[in-house]
Amino acid sequence: MQVLSVTPEIFPLIKTGGLADVTGALPIALAAKGVTMRTLIPGFPTVMAAFKKKRAVLQYPLLQGGKASVHSVQLAGLELFVLDAPHLFDRPGGPYGNATGVDWPDNWRRFAALSQVGGDIAGGAISGYQPDIVHAHDWQSAMTLAYMRYGKAVGIPSMMTVHNLAFQGQFGAGIFGELGLPAAAMALDGVEYYGGVGFLKAGLQAAWAITTVSPTYAQEIRSAEFGMGLDGLINMRSSDLYGIVNGIDTGIWDPETDKHLVSPYTASTLKARAPNRAAVEERFSLDRDDSPIVCVVSRLTWQKGMDILALVVDGIVATGARLAILGSGDAGLEGALLAAAARHRGRIGVVIGYDEGLSHIMQGGCDAIVIPSRFEPCGLTQLYGLRYGCVPVVARTGGLADTVIDANEAAVSAGVATGFQFAPNNGGALLHAIRRLVDAHASPAVWESLQRQGMKADVSWDKSADKYVELYRLLLSKRVA
């Protein structure tokens, strides 16, 4: 089975969040199950710098304002098609905006180009390659399915995976004339969305199947609260909606072999976590004592519930816990957390930014990780926490609810608990969960049970990859029918 994946990000080449981890790990997991996935990605500077040998398999004299070519590349165990379009992707800053975080005004053009190429490849534009299925990820590649629907690839099964419904790619109607789509596409059942053009909406409308990255999130987005204005369309497509929880790359995230750690360890050698704990204390200037270290590895945004955390940091310190926070985002939240660290020297440490290696050390050395997201399609940091014996404390939403077993009395007695859930998502409930954590940490037997149960959890891609294969086969059967 040949699957074409279209995505703006893929680990280890370009990453701003969990999307890249998913699109980087899924092809490798599928390969073990007889599925060959090739991934079309934009030629951002970090991507183009990663390979030297270029073999153009498709040329565009003019693609959204300039020359472009598609190169077939094998890199890091991945089969890639790289869209080399310097006028669109060879820019400083991040993949979506400049160095100050301001979005590029022509993002619609950049990702329309990516999607147009995806649609062309699906239609057989590359000699010798014809995908059986096309799998698009998030708004930046969602228009691939619209180009397929209105082009040569209309009969090719397609899947749209929503990693976060909040990001939709909405643009004014004025861009439609430059998309290269027929006039009929500018309609309610096409790409039109509240009078403009909706990239994600177009993908949801055209996809043969829609997936989200957890079963609970698949149900949540059918509601007005979580549907972000698309709940009507999603409910209309509910028979084609599936929730498949993400996995993680257990080769990269393995506490026994992780080179980022000061001290590797296993579930049977938990005491070997101590040097990692000491490294966290040093990096975040925390007091050295036996109190639990609760970490945060997150974008500092409203969605991630960081304002809720900021409101109760004094209360968290009062419970006896320490906080180690790594992240960046909203300037006001950054300032509030830095001010809290100044008020509570030795009890709260904050590092603004993102550091992949440090995030591994935090999972390997902290006692718990708190994730108070208002909504969380899947979440990966809690899966890393489970894998590393860093007990998750999570809001009861989306994939967080699906992957963490709450340490209520019955679950603790049965020896199956892996973390702490809290609801409703407010400061009082979060503080109550931290108090439960501190109490559990005071009992070595209970705490080690939580750690070991979490480390036993299957957070790999194996079961999830099976579900994708099953869904791919279902789509192929519909094509035959």
Side-chain angles (χ1 to χ4, degrees):
M1 188 188 304
Q2 296 282 340
V3 179
L4 173 67
S5 173
V6 187
T7 176
E9 301 180 29
I10 191 167
F11 181 85
L13 297 176
I14 182 73
K15 172 181 174 178
T16 65
L19 167 64
D21 290 322
V22 173
T23 56
L26 183 57
I28 295 170
L30 290 172
K33 301 180 184 300
V35 175
T36 299
M37 177 174 275
R38 294 193 180 188
T39 306
L40 172 65
I41 58 172
F44 295 119
T46 56
V47 175
M48 298 306 298
F51 67 97
K52 294 181 180 178
K53 292 184 178 180
K54 297 181 180 182
R55 182 171 71 88
V57 292
L58 188 58
Q59 299 275 8
Y60 287 87
L62 185 64
L63 177 69
Q64 289 295 341
K67 290 183 179 181
S69 56
V70 177
H71 301 276
S72 180
V73 179
Q74 290 182 326
L75 198 66
L78 300 167
E79 299 277 351
L80 304 174
F81 290 127
V82 178
L83 174 56
D84 183 13
H87 63 292
L88 298 174
F89 302 118
D90 186 11
R91 302 177 183 182
Y96 313 120
N98 62 26
T100 62
V102 177
D103 284 354
W104 298 112
D106 64 343
N107 272 345
W108 67 269
R109 188 185 298 279
R110 303 168 78 219
F111 296 108
L114 176 70
S115 296
Q116 183 181 333
V117 173
D120 289 346
I121 295 173
I126 294 178
S127 178
Y129 178 72
Q130 177 60 61
D132 299 303
I133 292 170
V134 175
H135 188 165
H137 297 267
D138 275 354
W139 76 263
Q140 296 93 335
S141 58
M143 286 287 283
T144 300
L145 309 191
Y147 284 105
M148 291 172 62
R149 178 183 176 189
Y150 297 103
K152 294 179 180 179
V154 63
I156 305 295
S158 61
M159 181 186 298
M160 181 75 237
T161 294
V162 179
H163 297 265
N164 191 334
L165 197 66
F167 302 104
Q168 299 182 4
Q170 298 179 29
F171 303 98
I175 74 166
F176 180 76
E178 298 187 62
L179 295 178
L181 291 168
M186 190 60 177
L188 184 61
D189 68 346
V191 306
E192 188 274 334
Y193 186 52
Y194 290 106
V197 176
F199 278 37
L200 181 59
K201 183 264 184 182
L204 295 173
Q205 191 81 52
W208 289 35
I210 299 166
T211 68
T212 66
V213 287
S214 72
T216 293
Y217 190 60
Q219 294 307 308
E220 287 177 340
I221 62 174
R222 297 179 63 182
S223 70
E225 181 182 1
F226 293 99
M228 305 292 173
L230 287 166
D231 47 291
L233 171 57
I234 290 165
N235 278 298
M236 186 180 72
R237 300 293 317 274
S238 61
S239 62
D240 302 312
L241 177 64
Y242 303 85
I244 303 175
V245 72
N246 285 335
I248 62 173
D249 188 327
T250 53
I252 293 173
W253 291 92
D254 182 353
E256 188 174 8
T257 60
D258 192 335
K259 294 181 181 179
H260 293 296
L261 299 183
V262 177
S263 174
Y265 60 95
T266 66
S268 59
T269 60
L270 287 171
K271 289 184 179 179
R273 295 179 93 248
N276 302 317
R277 180 186 177 90
V280 171
E281 289 171 333
E282 180 176 356
R283 181 67 180 85
F284 288 88
S285 300
L286 296 176
D287 295 339
R288 300 202 171 201
D289 57 42
D290 294 330
S291 64
I293 303 175
V294 180
C295 71
V296 174
V297 181
S298 177
R299 297 196 310 272
L300 304 181
T301 64
W302 178 90
Q303 182 217 321
K304 296 295 184 180
M306 289 298 112
D307 56 319
I308 298 171
L309 179 79
L311 286 173
V312 298
V313 288
D314 297 329
I316 291 174
V317 170
T319 69
R322 294 170 288 168
L323 271 174
I325 301 170
L326 171 65
S328 63
D330 181 87
L333 289 174
E334 290 181 1
L337 293 171
L338 288 168
R343 287 197 306 275
H344 300 286
R345 296 189 186 279
R347 308 310 295 176
I348 299 176
V350 177
V351 172
I352 299 298
Y354 184 70
D355 182 323
E356 184 79 15
L358 180 57
S359 73
H360 283 245
I361 293 172
M362 293 170 75
Q363 296 280 14
C366 293
D367 299 287
I369 181 166
V370 62
I371 309 166
S373 303
R374 283 187 167 84
F375 61 95
E376 193 63 69
C378 178
L380 294 177
T381 51
Q382 86 278 11
L383 302 182
Y384 303 147
L386 292 170
R387 177 81 164 147
Y388 279 59
C390 184
V391 178
V393 183
V394 301
R396 190 173 298 143
T397 186
L400 303 177
D402 288 334
T403 54
V404 176
I405 301 174
D406 182 66
N408 57 60
E409 187 174 346
V412 171
S413 297
V416 297
T418 60
F420 301 87
Q421 293 188 11
F422 63 91
N425 196 354
N426 58 37
L430 172 57
L431 267 181
H432 179 62
I434 297 294
R435 291 190 192 100
R436 292 172 62 206
L437 178 157
V438 172
D439 290 344
H441 188 264
S443 172
V446 170
W447 194 256
E448 287 185 14
S449 175
L450 287 171
Q451 290 179 296
R452 291 195 170 111
Q453 280 302 120
M455 294 178 78
K456 282 169 55 179
D458 184 0
V459 295
S460 73
W461 269 105
D462 189 57
K463 290 181 181 178
S464 298
D466 281 338
K467 291 180 179 179
Y468 277 112
V469 173
E470 182 181 346
L471 188 49
Y472 291 153
R473 288 176 177 157
L474 174 64
L475 295 182
L476 284 174
S477 72
K478 289 183 177 181
R479 181 186 185 186
V480 172

